[in-house]
Amino acid sequence: MAGGSAAPEPSTPARAGAGTAVVGDSAAPQPPVPGPGGAASAATAAPTALEALRVPEDLSARVPAEQRGAGRDDVRLLVSRGRAVSHRAFRELPGELRAGDVLVVNTSITLPAAVNGRVGGERVVVHFSTRGADGRWAVELRAPGGAGVTGPRPGGPAGAVVRLPGGQALVLEEPLGPASGARLWWARVPEPVPVPELLRRYGRPIRYGYTDRDQPLSAYRTVFAVPSPDGIGSAEMPSAARPFTVALVAELVRRGVLFAPLSLHTGVASAEAHEPPYPERFAVPAATAWLVNAVRAAGSGRVIAVGTTAVRALESAAGADGVVRPAEGWTDLVVTPQRGVRVVDGLLTGLHEPQASHLLMLEAVAGREALRRGYEAALQERYLWHEFGDVHLILTDEEHNAPDCFSNEW
């Protein structure tokens, strides 16, 4: 959702963008950076299908579902099947799927990415976003606020030294993207303590102003999360998979639903703030590529992405022919209605702010009218927004919808 905040800043990181996948670190010693006037800027400037809608503040999910009800899966499920809308409990998800369907899941683990620090006499909170191929990290400095949340702060300046716990420090080197107004900066943390270990010792999850209180790191990790050997992960939770439980996964497997893992490590850039999406590190393993291609070739099931991150990674690995190939590296792909989707037949996702660029991706999957109807129903039935909220299953109308992907050009 994901990673930016809703209050005082919007809540969900930029995970949907336009552009291309850059595969392999040798091709990109640093992730590519969208520039002004480029495809990413054009994508974020495009109006979404829901610009006129307004989400009341009281529809923000303020605590995890297990603190509101019976468990993680005690959330509501909005189902858009073509233009038809229905309402379910998330525990009823197995009844909406069928044997042979493939759920593509993001296994990236959420990091305790917020660490207290000081710049001179100023207190700051450092949000660690993304590790570059040269060992530097993209970071955002935030101003501490009341009740444990943070507020925006001007980025930089270059050369600033941020004192961290345990006698560590980081040095800001250069902005990520255009210097004017840049929130994310490349920074270097001198050894001996690697950043993942620093986060493990002193970090906490990034928290947003619409939540009531701090939550343990476990609340921000999904049942699919797998630690990475190099200690990297997501600055913000790939939250669409949060309602899944071990019992529900077992029931889906029993019914013949397949699971295909991939990873995309989310950063902290804010799609709701209309910022260009920043490149993110992803990996689509050979087994996942093989399974998705086999199911599509056989026509035996649908490929349903769990989260916008899974769409971004999977579509980054798909060629113009719709064939998914093993891939890893950086992606700045933006999935829009103009680009369309090549592989994905459906999407399970949270509810996004009406100005979020994520909605361009949802529109590419569902169509504008279906998306509008779904969100109007969600507002009318008072669904809950954000990472601890309710979820939306988008399935194409198989009788009327044809593939809508003619090219990767705008």
Side-chain angles (χ1 to χ4, degrees):
M1 151 141 332
S5 73
E9 288 192 333
S11 66
T12 309
R15 295 170 189 161
T20 58
V22 178
V23 179
D25 287 338
S26 61
Q30 289 297 332
V33 177
S41 298
T44 52
T48 72
L50 306 173
E51 285 279 353
L53 291 183
R54 294 294 177 266
V55 180
E57 288 187 11
D58 64 345
L59 294 186
S60 293
R62 302 190 181 280
V63 296
E66 57 271 28
Q67 296 176 20
R68 304 191 305 264
R72 279 192 174 221
D73 58 355
D74 193 9
V75 297
R76 301 168 73 188
L77 177 66
L78 176 71
V79 180
S80 292
R81 194 181 300 272
R83 296 184 180 184
V85 178
S86 57
H87 306 281
R88 301 284 187 268
F90 187 76
R91 295 188 181 101
E92 298 177 273
L93 177 64
E96 300 299 320
L97 305 178
R98 56 187 186 232
D101 285 344
V102 179
L103 291 179
V104 182
V105 297
N106 187 358
T107 61
S108 179
I109 195 166
T110 308
L111 300 176
V115 178
N116 292 336
R118 285 185 175 273
V119 179
E122 177 191 5
R123 291 192 305 126
V124 297
V125 177
V126 183
H127 286 178
F128 285 83
S129 176
T130 305
R131 192 182 72 181
D134 64 356
R136 295 190 299 175
W137 281 75
V139 302
E140 179 190 11
L141 301 191
R142 307 270 301 175
V149 298
T150 62
R153 174 195 182 278
V161 177
V162 183
R163 300 296 175 186
L164 300 174
Q168 294 293 109
L170 65 82
V171 180
L172 302 183
E173 294 190 348
E174 60 181 327
L176 178 56
S180 177
R183 290 194 300 117
L184 291 178
W185 282 66
W186 287 116
R188 193 174 298 278
V189 179
E191 298 292 345
V193 179
V195 169
E197 178 62 19
L198 177 74
L199 299 183
R200 189 189 68 80
R201 293 182 188 178
Y202 305 110
R204 62 187 180 277
I206 292 174
R207 179 190 157 197
Y208 298 117
Y210 53 76
T211 58
D212 277 352
R213 54 185 176 272
D214 289 341
Q215 298 291 340
L217 183 59
S218 59
Y220 291 90
R221 289 180 170 175
T222 74
V223 70
F224 304 111
V226 177
S228 174
D230 58 6
I232 66 172
S234 287
E236 303 188 2
M237 173 175 54
S239 57
R242 191 182 189 281
F244 283 89
T245 62
V246 172
L248 184 62
V249 171
E251 174 63 16
L252 288 165
V253 171
R254 187 186 70 81
R255 292 180 179 229
V257 175
L258 307 171
F259 286 84
L262 51 72
S263 65
L264 185 140
H265 301 308
T266 67
V268 300
S270 173
E272 274 76 9
H274 291 286
E275 295 174 346
Y278 289 87
E280 293 167 317
R281 187 186 292 270
F282 80 105
V284 176
T288 289
W290 179 89
L291 178 59
V292 168
N293 291 332
V295 167
R296 287 176 56 80
S300 56
R302 298 164 295 185
V303 177
I304 300 170
V306 179
T308 58
T309 59
V311 176
R312 195 181 195 198
L314 194 62
E315 293 285 331
S316 295
D321 56 1
V323 175
V324 179
R325 296 169 176 85
E328 62 179 308
W330 298 94
T331 180
D332 63 351
L333 178 67
V334 177
V335 178
T336 66
Q338 293 91 335
R339 185 223 186 244
V341 288
R342 297 171 174 171
V343 181
V344 173
D345 302 307
L347 172 61
L348 181 70
T349 184
L351 293 164
H352 303 276
E353 293 291 339
Q355 297 81 25
S357 64
H358 294 41
L359 293 174
L360 297 172
M361 177 189 291
L362 272 60
E363 187 179 336
V365 177
R368 176 164 287 222
E369 180 60 19
L371 187 60
R372 183 188 65 79
R373 291 188 184 191
Y375 269 65
E376 287 179 349
L379 285 172
Q380 182 176 350
E381 297 297 322
R382 297 189 62 77
Y383 278 67
L384 295 179
W385 259 249
H386 302 306
E387 68 267 28
F388 296 142
D390 298 316
V391 287
H392 186 190
L393 176 63
I394 299 172
L395 299 171
T396 57
D397 184 338
E398 294 174 308
E399 294 183 1
H400 299 96
N401 285 8
D404 181 21
C405 181
F406 302 102
S407 126
N408 195 31
E409 301 297 325
W410 280 57

